[in-house]
């Protein structure tokens, strides 16, 4: 709808300009349209000839002539050649060496190299760096050393660790080395940052990605599909890419999938919806005596399996309470909206998806479902039977209709995460009180892994109305091991054991989550015993330092974490 309106406006402007040109020789005809602007009329009335110089005056046209070719007609800031120029100008090897002393790994595709069908199309197309190509591409758009391409680069200063500002500075230097690009570095805190890029207000910015489920599809469609890319601030849409992504995701033939993902990779490097930078290890630190700290490939941190050993000295002074530190911030605790790692962590610890993972592994097991789903012969319908006796922590029963209502709410409210599910699910039906069927748009073999994500955690209708998203609810009364008691934004959150939980009661009944401004302050807190666990984002610098601290254990998480740059494809040129 937006594009049609825009075309209409452009058409009207074109017609109006043609009429003005056609009517220019006849002075009276020219004056009538101008009559709406009195300021322009007065000089014309006092000096009739003043209009002719205005029409002939080259000076008024010169700024437009000095603009790069085609810029006057450009709707959006980023053209394909400009995105390609940025891709060619960045040297990931230098970033990794200068900022991380070689600890991170350069990324030449959005898909991790250990995944099936992974390729390195950015390395194939741009090499480790091609500065000459970058300069030629920018100049091809009409920019010069005297008239460079100027744009803002945004980042969250602490969310991804203290090294983020250093990474941005190196990128700025590399891009400006072309002589035809000028980069303005800008930053804001994480909560405002998320709101800003989702609203389309940031032209070029940095993000991190952890997989929602383990399939190449989940490293590509969130950024390159017409439906999902707006959820991540990319706003990219290409029918050819959509067709390739759907074909690859729905194919059951490994050889066909390999061929399709090769084509997708080549198109991705040409179009550059986003720009992969590097793979960064994640770390978790915990005090001696804290047991059960396991984070597997799905990147899930389960609180209910944590416990204190006999020699533990809990930060709270009681073995009934564990304190977990994080530099993350809550953006939304509504499962129909939330699309950030920490938000999902809270939602899944206070709720339960249809399927889950054995803690610390990628083994799928039943969650709210009593067993793994039954799949129809055509592969288009997945049917789940729910566990009997499921209740929200306030005693409200959970039935198959609860899951239908949850789908309808997600589908209609269009929260940040909606595209992740809408891309694959056609409809949801309650077969009976304990049986729910998901009808898919195509044969997606990874659907069981999708059913283990946060959007498949049902929310209590008493806290989350059908007609509105609730980012910061007063209560989080889910069906998981814990329920939320209180939440002071940016300070702390308190969870307590859920009396209605069907599983084994947590070994530690109370969890306090402390929010820190930066990794350094958080690492100091675990070193001095103020917190029991330091998690997300500790960062490699602090993690390596803590490895030498007595009484503190630091583990490297076996899960890929990507840092990448986002081009907002619909950011206006003249904003």
């Amino acid at each position: 709808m937006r594009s049609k309106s825009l075309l209409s406006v452009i058409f009207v402007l074109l017609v109006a300009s043609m009429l003005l040109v056609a009517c220019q020789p006849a002075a009276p005809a020219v004056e009538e349209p101008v009559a709406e602007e009195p300021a322009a009329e007065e000089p014309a009335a006092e000096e009739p000839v003043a209009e002719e110089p205005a029409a002939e005056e080259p000076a008024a046209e010169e700024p437009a002539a000095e603009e790069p070719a085609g810029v006057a007609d450009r709707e959006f800031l980023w053209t394909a050649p400009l995105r390609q120029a940025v891709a060619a100008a960045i040297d990931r090897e230098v970033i990794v060496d200068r900022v991380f002393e070689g600890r991170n790994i350069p990324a030449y595709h959005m898909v991790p190299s250990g995944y099936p069908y992974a390729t390195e199309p950015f390395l194939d197309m741009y090499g480790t760096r091609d500065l000459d190509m970058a300069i030629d591409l920018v100049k091809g758009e009409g920019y010069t050393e005297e008239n460079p391409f100027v744009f803002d680069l945004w980042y969250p200063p602490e969310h991804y660790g203290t090294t983020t500002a250093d990474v941005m500075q190196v990128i700025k230097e590399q891009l400006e080395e072309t002589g035809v690009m000028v980069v303005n570095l800008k930053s804001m805190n994480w909560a405002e940052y998320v709101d800003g890029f989702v609203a389309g207000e940031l032209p070029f910015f940095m993000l991190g990605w952890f997989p929602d489920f383990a399939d190449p599809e989940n490293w590509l469609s969130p950024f390159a599909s017409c439906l999902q890319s707006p959820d991540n601030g990319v706003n990219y849409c290409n029918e050819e890419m959509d067709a390739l992504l759907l074909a690859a995701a729905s194919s059951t033939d490994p050889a066909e999938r390999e061929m399709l993902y090769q084509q997708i990779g080549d198109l991705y490097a040409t179009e550059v919806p986003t720009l992969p930078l590097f793979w960064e290890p994640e770390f978790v630190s915990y005090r001696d005596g804290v047991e059960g700290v396991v984070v597997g490939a799905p990147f899930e941190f389960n609180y209910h399996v944590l416990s204190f050993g006999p020699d533990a000295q809990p930060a709270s002074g009681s073995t009934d309470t564990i304190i977990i530190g994080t530099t993350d911030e809550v953006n939304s605790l509504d499962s129909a909206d939330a699309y950030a790692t920490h938000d999902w962590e809270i939602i899944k610890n206070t709720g339960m998806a249809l399927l889950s993972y054995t803690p610390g592994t990628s083994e799928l097991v039943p969650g709210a479902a009593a067993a793994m789903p039954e799949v129809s012969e055509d592969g288009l319908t997945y049917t789940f039977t729910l566990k009997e006796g499921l209740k929200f922590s306030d005693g409200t029963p959970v039935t198959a209709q609860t899951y239908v209502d949850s789908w309808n709410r997600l589908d209609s409210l269009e929260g940040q995460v909606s595209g992740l599910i809408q891309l694959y699910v056609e409809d949801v039906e309650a077969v009976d009180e304990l049986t729910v069927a998901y009808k898919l748009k195509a044969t997606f073999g990874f659907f069981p892994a999708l059913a283990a994500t946060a959007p498949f955690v049902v929310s209590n209708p008493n806290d989350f109305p059908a007609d509105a998203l609730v980012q910061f609810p007063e209560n989080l009364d889910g069906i998981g091991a814990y329920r939320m008691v209180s939440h002071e934004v940016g300070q702390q959150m308190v969870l307590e054991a859920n009396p209605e939980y069907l599983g084994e009661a947590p070994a530690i009944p109370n969890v306090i989550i402390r929010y820190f401004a930066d990794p350094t302050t958080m690492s100091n807190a675990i070193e001095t015993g103020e917190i029991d666990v330091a998690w997300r984002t500790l960062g490699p610098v602090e993690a390596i330092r803590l490895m030498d601290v007595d009484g503190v254990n630091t583990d490297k998480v076996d899960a890929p974490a990507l840092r990448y740059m986002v081009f907002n494809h619909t950011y206006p040129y003249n904003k």
Side-chain angles (χ1 to χ4, degrees):
M1 193 178 290
R2 273 188 224 148
S3 32
K4 284 184 181 176
S5 303
L6 182 58
L7 287 171
S8 302
V9 172
I10 293 173
F11 177 75
V12 170
L13 290 172
L14 283 172
V15 171
S17 61
M18 289 169 64
L19 287 171
L20 286 171
V21 171
C23 297
Q24 207 163 4
V30 174
E31 286 193 338
E32 279 192 14
V34 191
E36 292 179 20
E37 294 179 33
E41 277 267 312
E42 284 185 9
E46 290 172 9
E47 194 175 335
V49 227
E51 288 214 0
E52 299 221 348
E56 296 172 4
E57 189 177 327
E61 296 290 327
E62 292 218 339
E66 288 176 3
E67 288 287 328
V71 165
D73 297 326
R74 194 159 102 213
E75 183 180 0
F76 302 122
L77 177 67
W78 292 105
T79 64
L82 290 175
R83 298 193 301 272
Q84 292 166 358
V86 173
I90 285 180
D91 189 329
R92 298 163 178 80
E93 311 278 346
V94 170
I95 295 172
V96 166
D97 288 342
R98 274 183 57 181
V99 180
F100 303 101
E101 298 178 349
R103 288 187 294 265
N104 291 4
I105 300 171
Y108 292 100
H109 195 16
M110 300 296 287
V111 182
S113 57
Y115 268 53
Y117 323 119
T119 59
E120 291 191 319
F122 283 85
L123 184 62
D124 297 338
M125 183 165 291
Y126 305 104
T128 54
R129 191 191 195 200
D130 193 329
L131 194 61
D132 291 336
M133 180 195 293
I135 294 170
D136 289 344
L137 285 165
V138 178
K139 286 188 173 181
E141 292 297 278
Y143 293 100
T144 64
E145 287 81 355
E146 295 75 29
N147 183 24
F149 175 45
V150 182
F151 57 92
D152 296 337
L153 167 52
W154 287 86
Y155 66 97
E158 304 293 350
H159 183 73
Y160 295 118
T162 53
T163 55
T164 304
D166 298 328
V167 171
M168 296 299 101
Q169 182 59 40
V170 176
I171 289 176
K172 172 182 168 68
E173 291 172 10
Q174 291 180 348
L175 296 179
E176 291 186 343
E177 194 180 340
T178 62
V180 287
M181 286 193 262
V182 174
V183 181
N184 301 316
L185 292 181
K186 297 191 175 184
S187 65
M188 67 172 74
N189 72 63
W190 178 245
E192 293 175 350
Y193 191 77
V194 173
D195 291 341
F197 74 69
V198 170
E201 295 170 357
L202 309 185
F204 187 42
F205 54 97
M206 181 190 189
L207 279 181
W209 185 255
F210 308 95
D212 303 322
F213 53 89
D215 191 272
E217 157 70 6
N218 191 233
W219 294 90
L220 294 165
S221 283
F223 322 104
S225 76
C226 296
L227 185 60
Q228 273 192 271
S229 73
D231 296 338
N232 292 295
V234 188
N235 298 304
Y236 170 82
C237 188
N238 180 315
E239 290 183 4
E240 180 186 1
M241 181 72 84
D242 263 18
L244 285 169
L245 288 170
L246 177 59
S250 58
S251 173
T252 56
D253 180 356
E256 183 184 30
R257 289 195 92 190
E258 183 175 4
M259 177 194 69
L260 288 166
Y261 279 119
Q262 176 70 53
Q263 294 177 31
I264 290 168
D266 293 344
L267 182 58
Y268 206 106
T270 302
E271 287 280 287
V272 202
T274 58
L275 184 63
L277 288 179
F278 51 81
W279 302 101
E280 182 168 270
E282 289 285 333
F283 299 89
V284 57
S285 291
Y286 50 96
R287 301 283 303 176
D288 282 349
V290 177
E291 300 176 354
V293 179
V294 286
V295 182
F299 215 72
E300 294 202 347
F301 185 20
N302 299 280
Y303 305 158
H304 69 285
V305 297
L306 298 175
S307 62
F308 286 115
D311 299 326
Q313 295 182 326
S316 68
S318 167
T319 55
D320 282 346
T321 301
I322 189 167
I323 304 177
I324 300 171
T326 180
T327 60
D328 252 321
E329 296 178 52
V330 170
N331 176 255
S332 177
L333 294 176
D334 190 329
S335 63
D337 180 50
Y339 206 4
T341 305
H342 181 64
D343 296 345
W344 278 26
E345 184 175 305
I346 300 301
I347 288 169
K348 294 178 97 175
N349 275 288
T350 57
M352 194 189 326
L354 283 168
L355 299 181
S356 188
Y357 293 98
T358 300
T361 77
S362 55
E363 178 194 10
L364 277 171
V365 293
M372 298 302 286
E374 293 181 11
V375 187
S376 62
E377 285 189 15
D378 60 7
L380 293 175
T381 303
Y382 283 70
T383 303
F384 297 85
T385 300
L386 303 177
K387 290 175 178 173
E388 292 188 28
L390 283 173
K391 294 180 182 178
F392 292 111
S393 64
D394 66 354
T396 304
V398 174
T399 67
Q401 187 59 43
T402 310
Y403 285 84
V404 174
D405 295 342
S406 178
W407 155 252
N408 290 334
R409 183 172 179 270
L410 178 144
D411 191 40
S412 62
L413 294 182
E414 297 285 346
Q416 299 173 58
V417 77
S418 59
L420 174 64
I421 312 303
Q422 292 168 329
L423 193 62
Y424 312 113
V425 175
E426 185 69 46
D427 197 14
V428 182
E429 176 189 353
V431 180
D432 58 40
E433 190 171 342
L434 291 179
T435 309
V436 59
Y438 286 79
K439 298 179 180 179
L440 309 186
K441 294 181 177 179
T443 54
F444 303 117
F446 50 76
F447 185 71
L450 187 66
T453 61
F456 287 83
V457 174
V458 288
S459 299
N460 192 330
N462 295 324
D463 301 320
F464 297 88
D467 58 354
L469 294 170
V470 184
Q471 289 180 281
F472 298 95
E474 290 185 15
N475 303 302
L476 212 49
D477 295 324
I479 59 175
Y482 293 92
R483 63 182 178 185
M484 186 178 76
V485 174
S486 64
H487 178 208
E488 298 173 51
V489 177
Q491 300 298 316
Q492 74 172 25
M493 180 184 294
V494 179
L495 309 179
E496 69 178 13
N498 176 4
E500 299 291 348
Y501 179 53
L502 288 185
E504 186 178 343
I508 302 176
N510 303 298
V511 177
I512 296 174
I513 300 159
R514 287 263 311 276
Y515 294 95
F516 289 87
D518 57 81
T520 303
T521 308
M522 181 170 68
S523 65
N524 289 338
I526 195 166
E527 185 175 0
T528 57
E530 296 173 44
I531 59 176
D532 301 297
V533 180
W535 165 239
R536 286 270 314 145
T537 299
L538 194 56
V541 174
E542 295 300 330
I544 289 167
R545 185 184 70 79
L546 288 173
M547 287 178 182
D548 295 326
V549 173
D550 290 338
V552 176
N553 307 278
T554 301
D555 295 342
K556 184 177 177 181
V557 175
D558 184 22
L562 176 66
R563 299 289 181 260
Y564 64 101
M565 304 304 301
V566 176
F567 298 94
N568 180 353
H569 290 248
T570 57
Y571 191 85
Y573 170 63
N574 281 319
K575 187 164 181 177

